[in-house]
Amino acid sequence: TKGEPELKDIINYGEIDEAELLKIVASAERFSEHPLGQAIVDGAMERGLELYEAEHFEAIPGHGIEVDIGGRQVLVGNDKLMLSHNIDISKGQDDMERLANLGETPMYVSIDRTLAGIIAVADVIKPSSKKAIDVLHGEGIKVMMLTGDNRATARAIAGQVGIAEEDILAEVLPQDKANNVKMLQDKGYKVAMVG
C-alpha cells in the first residue's frame, strides 16, 4: 500500500452522532504514533472539528488504545481489546465484517464500556504492487502477507495484488512478526521481509 491511510467510514450505534464520534476518536488518537490513528485525526481536521483534551493515553500493541476524555473511558481497537474489557460487540460484528471485506481496517469504539460505533480507515494499494508481486511469482518466489490487520481485510487486499489466501498471516501482533519470519526460516525458506 501507499502507507497513507485515509478515514473511510464512521458508523454510530447510540445517541452520539457521527461527527461527535469522530471528534472523540480523533481526540483519543491524537497521541497515537500509528498511521491509522493519524488518518483519523487528519479526517477530523479536514472536517473542521475541534478536538477534546485527552488524558491517560495508553497504546496496547496489536489491540488498540485506551484514553480518558472528559471523564469518559474511550477504547478504540479490535475485538480483542473490546472483549478484554467485557464490551458487547455483537451489534457491530456485521458492519466490521462488511468493511473488512472492502479492504478497510475497521475499529470498534467503546465509550464508558458501551459500544458506541465503528470507525474505518483504508490504505490505497500502490499501482506497482500487483506488478511487483507478479514478477516475483514469475521468478518462482513465494510472496506472503504478514499483517496485524484482521483476516477479512488482509484477504481483500491480498486478493487485489495476487497473494494466495494460504499465504496470508493475519492478526499478527507487532512483537510476533519476527517469530513468524523465524518459523518460515525453520521450514527451510530463505526470507526477505519488506515493511
PDB file of all heavy atoms in Angstrom, residues 8-46:
ATOM      1  N   LYS A   8     -12.360   6.379   6.116  1.00  0.00           N
ATOM      2  CA  LYS A   8     -13.330   5.941   5.115  1.00  0.00           C
ATOM      3  C   LYS A   8     -14.760   5.904   5.640  1.00  0.00           C
ATOM      4  O   LYS A   8     -15.673   6.350   4.966  1.00  0.00           O
ATOM      5  CB  LYS A   8     -12.957   4.542   4.590  1.00  0.00           C
ATOM      6  CG  LYS A   8     -11.717   4.524   3.753  1.00  0.00           C
ATOM      7  CD  LYS A   8     -11.947   5.234   2.435  1.00  0.00           C
ATOM      8  CE  LYS A   8     -10.748   5.129   1.526  1.00  0.00           C
ATOM      9  NZ  LYS A   8     -10.881   5.891   0.324  1.00  0.00           N
ATOM     10  N   ASP A   9     -14.981   5.314   6.810  1.00  0.00           N
ATOM     11  CA  ASP A   9     -16.346   5.120   7.305  1.00  0.00           C
ATOM     12  C   ASP A   9     -16.461   5.413   8.790  1.00  0.00           C
ATOM     13  O   ASP A   9     -15.534   5.142   9.561  1.00  0.00           O
ATOM     14  CB  ASP A   9     -16.799   3.668   7.066  1.00  0.00           C
ATOM     15  CG  ASP A   9     -17.198   3.424   5.630  1.00  0.00           C
ATOM     16  OD1 ASP A   9     -18.283   3.881   5.254  1.00  0.00           O
ATOM     17  OD2 ASP A   9     -16.418   2.790   4.898  1.00  0.00           O
ATOM     18  N   ILE A  10     -17.619   5.955   9.167  1.00  0.00           N
ATOM     19  CA  ILE A  10     -17.969   6.179  10.573  1.00  0.00           C
ATOM     20  C   ILE A  10     -19.384   5.637  10.749  1.00  0.00           C
ATOM     21  O   ILE A  10     -20.298   6.024  10.012  1.00  0.00           O
ATOM     22  CB  ILE A  10     -17.960   7.679  10.941  1.00  0.00           C
ATOM     23  CG1 ILE A  10     -16.619   8.324  10.562  1.00  0.00           C
ATOM     24  CG2 ILE A  10     -18.273   7.869  12.421  1.00  0.00           C
ATOM     25  CD1 ILE A  10     -16.660   9.830  10.509  1.00  0.00           C
ATOM     26  N   ILE A  11     -19.553   4.741  11.701  1.00  0.00           N
ATOM     27  CA  ILE A  11     -20.880   4.184  11.990  1.00  0.00           C
ATOM     28  C   ILE A  11     -21.136   4.382  13.474  1.00  0.00           C
ATOM     29  O   ILE A  11     -20.307   4.005  14.306  1.00  0.00           O
ATOM     30  CB  ILE A  11     -20.931   2.678  11.643  1.00  0.00           C
ATOM     31  CG1 ILE A  11     -20.620   2.458  10.158  1.00  0.00           C
ATOM     32  CG2 ILE A  11     -22.282   2.089  12.017  1.00  0.00           C
ATOM     33  CD1 ILE A  11     -20.403   1.008   9.776  1.00  0.00           C
ATOM     34  N   ASN A  12     -22.265   4.982  13.809  1.00  0.00           N
ATOM     35  CA  ASN A  12     -22.589   5.191  15.222  1.00  0.00           C
ATOM     36  C   ASN A  12     -23.758   4.295  15.628  1.00  0.00           C
ATOM     37  O   ASN A  12     -24.620   3.972  14.820  1.00  0.00           O
ATOM     38  CB  ASN A  12     -22.899   6.653  15.500  1.00  0.00           C
ATOM     39  CG  ASN A  12     -24.095   7.168  14.725  1.00  0.00           C
ATOM     40  OD1 ASN A  12     -24.192   6.949  13.527  1.00  0.00           O
ATOM     41  ND2 ASN A  12     -25.002   7.838  15.407  1.00  0.00           N
ATOM     42  N   TYR A  13     -23.743   3.879  16.897  1.00  0.00           N
ATOM     43  CA  TYR A  13     -24.777   2.968  17.402  1.00  0.00           C
ATOM     44  C   TYR A  13     -25.601   3.545  18.552  1.00  0.00           C
ATOM     45  O   TYR A  13     -26.393   2.844  19.132  1.00  0.00           O
ATOM     46  CB  TYR A  13     -24.148   1.655  17.899  1.00  0.00           C
ATOM     47  CG  TYR A  13     -23.505   0.859  16.810  1.00  0.00           C
ATOM     48  CD1 TYR A  13     -22.177   0.463  16.920  1.00  0.00           C
ATOM     49  CD2 TYR A  13     -24.204   0.483  15.672  1.00  0.00           C
ATOM     50  CE1 TYR A  13     -21.572  -0.285  15.926  1.00  0.00           C
ATOM     51  CE2 TYR A  13     -23.602  -0.258  14.667  1.00  0.00           C
ATOM     52  CZ  TYR A  13     -22.288  -0.638  14.805  1.00  0.00           C
ATOM     53  OH  TYR A  13     -21.696  -1.368  13.816  1.00  0.00           O
ATOM     54  N   GLY A  14     -25.378   4.775  18.907  1.00  0.00           N
ATOM     55  CA  GLY A  14     -26.119   5.302  20.053  1.00  0.00           C
ATOM     56  C   GLY A  14     -26.549   6.721  19.834  1.00  0.00           C
ATOM     57  O   GLY A  14     -26.789   7.151  18.708  1.00  0.00           O
ATOM     58  N   GLU A  15     -26.635   7.462  20.946  1.00  0.00           N
ATOM     59  CA  GLU A  15     -27.069   8.863  20.864  1.00  0.00           C
ATOM     60  C   GLU A  15     -25.998   9.759  20.263  1.00  0.00           C
ATOM     61  O   GLU A  15     -26.287  10.852  19.785  1.00  0.00           O
ATOM     62  CB  GLU A  15     -27.407   9.433  22.260  1.00  0.00           C
ATOM     63  CG  GLU A  15     -28.263   8.584  23.158  1.00  0.00           C
ATOM     64  CD  GLU A  15     -27.455   7.647  24.049  1.00  0.00           C
ATOM     65  OE1 GLU A  15     -26.482   8.094  24.693  1.00  0.00           O
ATOM     66  OE2 GLU A  15     -27.801   6.461  24.081  1.00  0.00           O
ATOM     67  N   ILE A  16     -24.753   9.309  20.293  1.00  0.00           N
ATOM     68  CA  ILE A  16     -23.659  10.136  19.784  1.00  0.00           C
ATOM     69  C   ILE A  16     -23.673  10.089  18.258  1.00  0.00           C
ATOM     70  O   ILE A  16     -23.607   9.016  17.662  1.00  0.00           O
ATOM     71  CB  ILE A  16     -22.309   9.625  20.325  1.00  0.00           C
ATOM     72  CG1 ILE A  16     -22.278   9.752  21.846  1.00  0.00           C
ATOM     73  CG2 ILE A  16     -21.151  10.383  19.694  1.00  0.00           C
ATOM     74  CD1 ILE A  16     -21.062   9.147  22.493  1.00  0.00           C
ATOM     75  N   ASP A  17     -23.782  11.266  17.618  1.00  0.00           N
ATOM     76  CA  ASP A  17     -23.825  11.275  16.151  1.00  0.00           C
ATOM     77  C   ASP A  17     -22.426  11.045  15.570  1.00  0.00           C
ATOM     78  O   ASP A  17     -21.431  11.016  16.297  1.00  0.00           O
ATOM     79  CB  ASP A  17     -24.467  12.559  15.623  1.00  0.00           C
ATOM     80  CG  ASP A  17     -23.649  13.817  15.892  1.00  0.00           C
ATOM     81  OD1 ASP A  17     -22.420  13.729  16.116  1.00  0.00           O
ATOM     82  OD2 ASP A  17     -24.239  14.911  15.868  1.00  0.00           O
ATOM     83  N   GLU A  18     -22.369  10.874  14.242  1.00  0.00           N
ATOM     84  CA  GLU A  18     -21.108  10.527  13.589  1.00  0.00           C
ATOM     85  C   GLU A  18     -20.028  11.578  13.805  1.00  0.00           C
ATOM     86  O   GLU A  18     -18.868  11.250  14.035  1.00  0.00           O
ATOM     87  CB  GLU A  18     -21.329  10.301  12.095  1.00  0.00           C
ATOM     88  CG  GLU A  18     -22.067   9.023  11.783  1.00  0.00           C
ATOM     89  CD  GLU A  18     -22.238   8.783  10.294  1.00  0.00           C
ATOM     90  OE1 GLU A  18     -21.597   9.490   9.484  1.00  0.00           O
ATOM     91  OE2 GLU A  18     -23.017   7.878   9.943  1.00  0.00           O
ATOM     92  N   ALA A  19     -20.389  12.857  13.729  1.00  0.00           N
ATOM     93  CA  ALA A  19     -19.395  13.928  13.887  1.00  0.00           C
ATOM     94  C   ALA A  19     -18.812  13.906  15.300  1.00  0.00           C
ATOM     95  O   ALA A  19     -17.589  14.041  15.483  1.00  0.00           O
ATOM     96  CB  ALA A  19     -20.025  15.287  13.586  1.00  0.00           C
ATOM     97  N   GLU A  20     -19.670  13.723  16.292  1.00  0.00           N
ATOM     98  CA  GLU A  20     -19.201  13.690  17.684  1.00  0.00           C
ATOM     99  C   GLU A  20     -18.345  12.440  17.916  1.00  0.00           C
ATOM    100  O   GLU A  20     -17.331  12.498  18.611  1.00  0.00           O
ATOM    101  CB  GLU A  20     -20.384  13.726  18.648  1.00  0.00           C
ATOM    102  CG  GLU A  20     -20.003  13.709  20.120  1.00  0.00           C
ATOM    103  CD  GLU A  20     -19.236  14.942  20.608  1.00  0.00           C
ATOM    104  OE1 GLU A  20     -19.153  15.944  19.867  1.00  0.00           O
ATOM    105  OE2 GLU A  20     -18.717  14.897  21.727  1.00  0.00           O
ATOM    106  N   LEU A  21     -18.751  11.326  17.335  1.00  0.00           N
ATOM    107  CA  LEU A  21     -17.972  10.096  17.478  1.00  0.00           C
ATOM    108  C   LEU A  21     -16.580  10.293  16.874  1.00  0.00           C
ATOM    109  O   LEU A  21     -15.571   9.937  17.492  1.00  0.00           O
ATOM    110  CB  LEU A  21     -18.692   8.928  16.794  1.00  0.00           C
ATOM    111  CG  LEU A  21     -18.058   7.557  16.990  1.00  0.00           C
ATOM    112  CD1 LEU A  21     -18.134   7.111  18.447  1.00  0.00           C
ATOM    113  CD2 LEU A  21     -18.748   6.528  16.101  1.00  0.00           C
ATOM    114  N   LEU A  22     -16.510  10.894  15.695  1.00  0.00           N
ATOM    115  CA  LEU A  22     -15.221  11.166  15.069  1.00  0.00           C
ATOM    116  C   LEU A  22     -14.392  12.104  15.934  1.00  0.00           C
ATOM    117  O   LEU A  22     -13.187  11.904  16.111  1.00  0.00           O
ATOM    118  CB  LEU A  22     -15.413  11.763  13.672  1.00  0.00           C
ATOM    119  CG  LEU A  22     -14.137  12.202  12.952  1.00  0.00           C
ATOM    120  CD1 LEU A  22     -13.139  11.062  12.818  1.00  0.00           C
ATOM    121  CD2 LEU A  22     -14.475  12.802  11.590  1.00  0.00           C
ATOM    122  N   LYS A  23     -15.032  13.112  16.503  1.00  0.00           N
ATOM    123  CA  LYS A  23     -14.324  14.073  17.354  1.00  0.00           C
ATOM    124  C   LYS A  23     -13.706  13.373  18.566  1.00  0.00           C
ATOM    125  O   LYS A  23     -12.551  13.614  18.930  1.00  0.00           O
ATOM    126  CB  LYS A  23     -15.311  15.165  17.800  1.00  0.00           C
ATOM    127  CG  LYS A  23     -14.698  16.318  18.543  1.00  0.00           C
ATOM    128  CD  LYS A  23     -15.748  17.397  18.774  1.00  0.00           C
ATOM    129  CE  LYS A  23     -15.212  18.518  19.622  1.00  0.00           C
ATOM    130  NZ  LYS A  23     -16.181  19.605  19.808  1.00  0.00           N
ATOM    131  N   ILE A  24     -14.463  12.461  19.183  1.00  0.00           N
ATOM    132  CA  ILE A  24     -13.969  11.726  20.347  1.00  0.00           C
ATOM    133  C   ILE A  24     -12.817  10.797  19.957  1.00  0.00           C
ATOM    134  O   ILE A  24     -11.777  10.759  20.609  1.00  0.00           O
ATOM    135  CB  ILE A  24     -15.124  10.932  21.013  1.00  0.00           C
ATOM    136  CG1 ILE A  24     -16.107  11.902  21.673  1.00  0.00           C
ATOM    137  CG2 ILE A  24     -14.593   9.914  22.025  1.00  0.00           C
ATOM    138  CD1 ILE A  24     -17.417  11.268  22.105  1.00  0.00           C
ATOM    139  N   VAL A  25     -13.001  10.061  18.864  1.00  0.00           N
ATOM    140  CA  VAL A  25     -11.959   9.117  18.449  1.00  0.00           C
ATOM    141  C   VAL A  25     -10.692   9.857  18.019  1.00  0.00           C
ATOM    142  O   VAL A  25      -9.582   9.459  18.375  1.00  0.00           O
ATOM    143  CB  VAL A  25     -12.467   8.187  17.324  1.00  0.00           C
ATOM    144  CG1 VAL A  25     -11.343   7.297  16.815  1.00  0.00           C
ATOM    145  CG2 VAL A  25     -13.627   7.334  17.822  1.00  0.00           C
ATOM    146  N   ALA A  26     -10.838  10.941  17.279  1.00  0.00           N
ATOM    147  CA  ALA A  26      -9.668  11.725  16.862  1.00  0.00           C
ATOM    148  C   ALA A  26      -8.954  12.304  18.084  1.00  0.00           C
ATOM    149  O   ALA A  26      -7.720  12.344  18.125  1.00  0.00           O
ATOM    150  CB  ALA A  26     -10.079  12.829  15.905  1.00  0.00           C
ATOM    151  N   SER A  27      -9.713  12.724  19.077  1.00  0.00           N
ATOM    152  CA  SER A  27      -9.113  13.237  20.316  1.00  0.00           C
ATOM    153  C   SER A  27      -8.320  12.137  21.008  1.00  0.00           C
ATOM    154  O   SER A  27      -7.238  12.381  21.549  1.00  0.00           O
ATOM    155  CB  SER A  27     -10.206  13.756  21.255  1.00  0.00           C
ATOM    156  OG  SER A  27     -10.931  14.800  20.644  1.00  0.00           O
ATOM    157  N   ALA A  28      -8.862  10.931  20.969  1.00  0.00           N
ATOM    158  CA  ALA A  28      -8.171   9.785  21.569  1.00  0.00           C
ATOM    159  C   ALA A  28      -6.918   9.424  20.781  1.00  0.00           C
ATOM    160  O   ALA A  28      -5.881   9.098  21.356  1.00  0.00           O
ATOM    161  CB  ALA A  28      -9.122   8.588  21.640  1.00  0.00           C
ATOM    162  N   GLU A  29      -7.004   9.499  19.463  1.00  0.00           N
ATOM    163  CA  GLU A  29      -5.899   9.071  18.597  1.00  0.00           C
ATOM    164  C   GLU A  29      -4.821  10.133  18.415  1.00  0.00           C
ATOM    165  O   GLU A  29      -3.766   9.851  17.851  1.00  0.00           O
ATOM    166  CB  GLU A  29      -6.440   8.673  17.212  1.00  0.00           C
ATOM    167  CG  GLU A  29      -7.268   7.413  17.208  1.00  0.00           C
ATOM    168  CD  GLU A  29      -6.446   6.130  17.266  1.00  0.00           C
ATOM    169  OE1 GLU A  29      -5.210   6.188  17.461  1.00  0.00           O
ATOM    170  OE2 GLU A  29      -7.058   5.056  17.122  1.00  0.00           O
ATOM    171  N   ARG A  30      -5.076  11.332  18.905  1.00  0.00           N
ATOM    172  CA  ARG A  30      -4.135  12.430  18.671  1.00  0.00           C
ATOM    173  C   ARG A  30      -2.716  12.097  19.131  1.00  0.00           C
ATOM    174  O   ARG A  30      -1.744  12.548  18.558  1.00  0.00           O
ATOM    175  CB  ARG A  30      -4.618  13.689  19.385  1.00  0.00           C
ATOM    176  CG  ARG A  30      -3.761  14.876  19.078  1.00  0.00           C
ATOM    177  CD  ARG A  30      -4.037  16.135  19.825  1.00  0.00           C
ATOM    178  NE  ARG A  30      -5.313  16.242  20.481  1.00  0.00           N
ATOM    179  CZ  ARG A  30      -5.789  17.373  20.947  1.00  0.00           C
ATOM    180  NH1 ARG A  30      -5.098  18.475  20.805  1.00  0.00           N
ATOM    181  NH2 ARG A  30      -6.939  17.419  21.568  1.00  0.00           N
ATOM    182  N   PHE A  31      -2.606  11.286  20.182  1.00  0.00           N
ATOM    183  CA  PHE A  31      -1.282  10.970  20.724  1.00  0.00           C
ATOM    184  C   PHE A  31      -0.730   9.652  20.196  1.00  0.00           C
ATOM    185  O   PHE A  31       0.356   9.239  20.551  1.00  0.00           O
ATOM    186  CB  PHE A  31      -1.343  10.947  22.255  1.00  0.00           C
ATOM    187  CG  PHE A  31      -1.778  12.259  22.826  1.00  0.00           C
ATOM    188  CD1 PHE A  31      -3.063  12.428  23.325  1.00  0.00           C
ATOM    189  CD2 PHE A  31      -0.923  13.351  22.834  1.00  0.00           C
ATOM    190  CE1 PHE A  31      -3.479  13.653  23.834  1.00  0.00           C
ATOM    191  CE2 PHE A  31      -1.329  14.579  23.339  1.00  0.00           C
ATOM    192  CZ  PHE A  31      -2.606  14.726  23.838  1.00  0.00           C
ATOM    193  N   SER A  32      -1.484   9.008  19.346  1.00  0.00           N
ATOM    194  CA  SER A  32      -1.041   7.739  18.779  1.00  0.00           C
ATOM    195  C   SER A  32       0.017   7.984  17.717  1.00  0.00           C
ATOM    196  O   SER A  32      -0.060   8.949  16.967  1.00  0.00           O
ATOM    197  CB  SER A  32      -2.231   7.005  18.156  1.00  0.00           C
ATOM    198  OG  SER A  32      -1.793   5.871  17.458  1.00  0.00           O
ATOM    199  N   GLU A  33       0.997   7.092  17.651  1.00  0.00           N
ATOM    200  CA  GLU A  33       2.009   7.194  16.604  1.00  0.00           C
ATOM    201  C   GLU A  33       1.652   6.302  15.423  1.00  0.00           C
ATOM    202  O   GLU A  33       2.387   6.227  14.446  1.00  0.00           O
ATOM    203  CB  GLU A  33       3.375   6.798  17.173  1.00  0.00           C
ATOM    204  CG  GLU A  33       3.858   7.757  18.244  1.00  0.00           C
ATOM    205  CD  GLU A  33       5.172   7.324  18.875  1.00  0.00           C
ATOM    206  OE1 GLU A  33       5.700   6.257  18.498  1.00  0.00           O
ATOM    207  OE2 GLU A  33       5.658   8.055  19.742  1.00  0.00           O
ATOM    208  N   HIS A  34       0.518   5.624  15.515  1.00  0.00           N
ATOM    209  CA  HIS A  34       0.123   4.681  14.473  1.00  0.00           C
ATOM    210  C   HIS A  34      -0.448   5.432  13.267  1.00  0.00           C
ATOM    211  O   HIS A  34      -1.226   6.361  13.428  1.00  0.00           O
ATOM    212  CB  HIS A  34      -0.927   3.714  15.026  1.00  0.00           C
ATOM    213  CG  HIS A  34      -1.036   2.455  14.250  1.00  0.00           C
ATOM    214  ND1 HIS A  34      -1.587   2.411  12.997  1.00  0.00           N
ATOM    215  CD2 HIS A  34      -0.642   1.197  14.536  1.00  0.00           C
ATOM    216  CE1 HIS A  34      -1.534   1.177  12.550  1.00  0.00           C
ATOM    217  NE2 HIS A  34      -0.968   0.414  13.458  1.00  0.00           N
ATOM    218  N   PRO A  35      -0.085   5.032  12.037  1.00  0.00           N
ATOM    219  CA  PRO A  35      -0.607   5.712  10.839  1.00  0.00           C
ATOM    220  C   PRO A  35      -2.137   5.679  10.748  1.00  0.00           C
ATOM    221  O   PRO A  35      -2.739   6.612  10.229  1.00  0.00           O
ATOM    222  CB  PRO A  35       0.009   4.934   9.678  1.00  0.00           C
ATOM    223  CG  PRO A  35       1.169   4.198  10.244  1.00  0.00           C
ATOM    224  CD  PRO A  35       0.899   3.991  11.696  1.00  0.00           C
ATOM    225  N   LEU A  36      -2.774   4.627  11.259  1.00  0.00           N
ATOM    226  CA  LEU A  36      -4.232   4.565  11.219  1.00  0.00           C
ATOM    227  C   LEU A  36      -4.831   5.635  12.128  1.00  0.00           C
ATOM    228  O   LEU A  36      -5.829   6.268  11.789  1.00  0.00           O
ATOM    229  CB  LEU A  36      -4.735   3.177  11.622  1.00  0.00           C
ATOM    230  CG  LEU A  36      -4.244   2.001  10.779  1.00  0.00           C
ATOM    231  CD1 LEU A  36      -4.891   0.709  11.238  1.00  0.00           C
ATOM    232  CD2 LEU A  36      -4.490   2.235   9.302  1.00  0.00           C
ATOM    233  N   GLY A  37      -4.212   5.837  13.277  1.00  0.00           N
ATOM    234  CA  GLY A  37      -4.668   6.887  14.190  1.00  0.00           C
ATOM    235  C   GLY A  37      -4.506   8.258  13.573  1.00  0.00           C
ATOM    236  O   GLY A  37      -5.388   9.126  13.689  1.00  0.00           O
ATOM    237  N   GLN A  38      -3.387   8.467  12.882  1.00  0.00           N
ATOM    238  CA  GLN A  38      -3.148   9.755  12.234  1.00  0.00           C
ATOM    239  C   GLN A  38      -4.175  10.015  11.143  1.00  0.00           C
ATOM    240  O   GLN A  38      -4.622  11.150  10.945  1.00  0.00           O
ATOM    241  CB  GLN A  38      -1.724   9.812  11.661  1.00  0.00           C
ATOM    242  CG  GLN A  38      -1.311  11.193  11.213  1.00  0.00           C
ATOM    243  CD  GLN A  38      -1.414  12.236  12.311  1.00  0.00           C
ATOM    244  OE1 GLN A  38      -0.893  12.057  13.408  1.00  0.00           O
ATOM    245  NE2 GLN A  38      -2.107  13.331  12.035  1.00  0.00           N
ATOM    246  N   ALA A  39      -4.599   8.962  10.438  1.00  0.00           N
ATOM    247  CA  ALA A  39      -5.619   9.115   9.391  1.00  0.00           C
ATOM    248  C   ALA A  39      -6.934   9.600   9.988  1.00  0.00           C
ATOM    249  O   ALA A  39      -7.643  10.417   9.385  1.00  0.00           O
ATOM    250  CB  ALA A  39      -5.831   7.785   8.664  1.00  0.00           C
ATOM    251  N   ILE A  40      -7.257   9.118  11.184  1.00  0.00           N
ATOM    252  CA  ILE A  40      -8.494   9.542  11.858  1.00  0.00           C
ATOM    253  C   ILE A  40      -8.383  11.006  12.284  1.00  0.00           C
ATOM    254  O   ILE A  40      -9.312  11.797  12.083  1.00  0.00           O
ATOM    255  CB  ILE A  40      -8.795   8.630  13.061  1.00  0.00           C
ATOM    256  CG1 ILE A  40      -9.120   7.217  12.553  1.00  0.00           C
ATOM    257  CG2 ILE A  40      -9.929   9.185  13.910  1.00  0.00           C
ATOM    258  CD1 ILE A  40      -9.149   6.149  13.630  1.00  0.00           C
ATOM    259  N   VAL A  41      -7.241  11.383  12.844  1.00  0.00           N
ATOM    260  CA  VAL A  41      -7.021  12.780  13.245  1.00  0.00           C
ATOM    261  C   VAL A  41      -7.104  13.689  12.013  1.00  0.00           C
ATOM    262  O   VAL A  41      -7.773  14.731  12.051  1.00  0.00           O
ATOM    263  CB  VAL A  41      -5.662  12.941  13.969  1.00  0.00           C
ATOM    264  CG1 VAL A  41      -5.368  14.418  14.242  1.00  0.00           C
ATOM    265  CG2 VAL A  41      -5.658  12.146  15.268  1.00  0.00           C
ATOM    266  N   ASP A  42      -6.456  13.287  10.929  1.00  0.00           N
ATOM    267  CA  ASP A  42      -6.491  14.084   9.696  1.00  0.00           C
ATOM    268  C   ASP A  42      -7.927  14.227   9.190  1.00  0.00           C
ATOM    269  O   ASP A  42      -8.338  15.307   8.747  1.00  0.00           O
ATOM    270  CB  ASP A  42      -5.625  13.446   8.608  1.00  0.00           C
ATOM    271  CG  ASP A  42      -4.136  13.517   8.923  1.00  0.00           C
ATOM    272  OD1 ASP A  42      -3.740  14.265   9.842  1.00  0.00           O
ATOM    273  OD2 ASP A  42      -3.363  12.802   8.252  1.00  0.00           O
ATOM    274  N   GLY A  43      -8.707  13.139   9.267  1.00  0.00           N
ATOM    275  CA  GLY A  43     -10.106  13.171   8.829  1.00  0.00           C
ATOM    276  C   GLY A  43     -10.926  14.164   9.645  1.00  0.00           C
ATOM    277  O   GLY A  43     -11.777  14.879   9.102  1.00  0.00           O
ATOM    278  N   ALA A  44     -10.664  14.228  10.940  1.00  0.00           N
ATOM    279  CA  ALA A  44     -11.376  15.176  11.801  1.00  0.00           C
ATOM    280  C   ALA A  44     -10.960  16.610  11.488  1.00  0.00           C
ATOM    281  O   ALA A  44     -11.799  17.524  11.442  1.00  0.00           O
ATOM    282  CB  ALA A  44     -11.108  14.851  13.271  1.00  0.00           C
ATOM    283  N   MET A  45      -9.679  16.820  11.260  1.00  0.00           N
ATOM    284  CA  MET A  45      -9.178  18.164  10.944  1.00  0.00           C
ATOM    285  C   MET A  45      -9.771  18.666   9.626  1.00  0.00           C
ATOM    286  O   MET A  45     -10.160  19.824   9.511  1.00  0.00           O
ATOM    287  CB  MET A  45      -7.643  18.152  10.841  1.00  0.00           C
ATOM    288  CG  MET A  45      -6.910  17.826  12.125  1.00  0.00           C
ATOM    289  SD  MET A  45      -7.045  19.148  13.354  1.00  0.00           S
ATOM    290  CE  MET A  45      -8.146  18.424  14.516  1.00  0.00           C
ATOM    291  N   GLU A  46      -9.853  17.750   8.621  1.00  0.00           N
ATOM    292  CA  GLU A  46     -10.425  18.126   7.320  1.00  0.00           C
ATOM    293  C   GLU A  46     -11.885  18.546   7.461  1.00  0.00           C
ATOM    294  O   GLU A  46     -12.380  19.333   6.658  1.00  0.00           O
ATOM    295  CB  GLU A  46     -10.323  16.946   6.346  1.00  0.00           C
ATOM    296  CG  GLU A  46      -8.916  16.692   5.860  1.00  0.00           C
ATOM    297  CD  GLU A  46      -8.756  15.323   5.198  1.00  0.00           C
ATOM    298  OE1 GLU A  46      -9.775  14.642   4.927  1.00  0.00           O
ATOM    299  OE2 GLU A  46      -7.593  14.927   4.969  1.00  0.00           O
TER     300      GLU A  46
END
